[in-house]
Amino acid sequence: MFPRKENILLIKVEKFTDRIIKLDAYLKSKHVDNYIINQISRAGTSIGANINEGVYAQSKADFVSKYSIALKEANETSYW
């Protein structure tokens, strides 16, 4: 893997992803409906994936697109 500069957003998103994974396990232990758990997991973990893609964007438009998708996924996670 390429070394990367310290990026506070990536650090926070990685911590958020870890919390989403722990939340997933907790909700499973409480027998919450799998549909809801899957929605939270998909939306919550894709935030980091999109931000990471944005870091290596090919253009300014690509960067804005990836970060916009990450924002939408954050809003969806908040909903669930």
Side-chain angles (χ1 to χ4, degrees), residues 8-66:
I8 191 70
L9 184 57
L10 287 175
I11 292 167
K12 287 181 178 268
V13 134
E14 287 172 4
K15 289 180 181 179
F16 182 75
T17 300
D18 290 342
R19 292 184 68 191
I20 288 291
I21 292 167
K22 289 176 184 173
L23 176 62
D24 182 300
Y26 173 77
L27 293 175
K28 284 179 182 172
S29 75
K30 295 297 180 182
H31 305 292
V32 173
D33 186 80
N34 280 333
Y35 180 79
I36 294 171
I37 295 170
N38 289 338
Q39 288 295 113
I40 293 169
S41 293
R42 272 191 241 141
T45 58
S46 73
I47 298 167
N50 282 295
I51 288 175
N52 199 48
E53 283 187 45
V55 169
Y56 298 102
Q58 296 176 347
S59 66
K60 184 176 180 180
D62 189 28
F63 174 85
V64 170
S65 174
K66 299 300 182 199

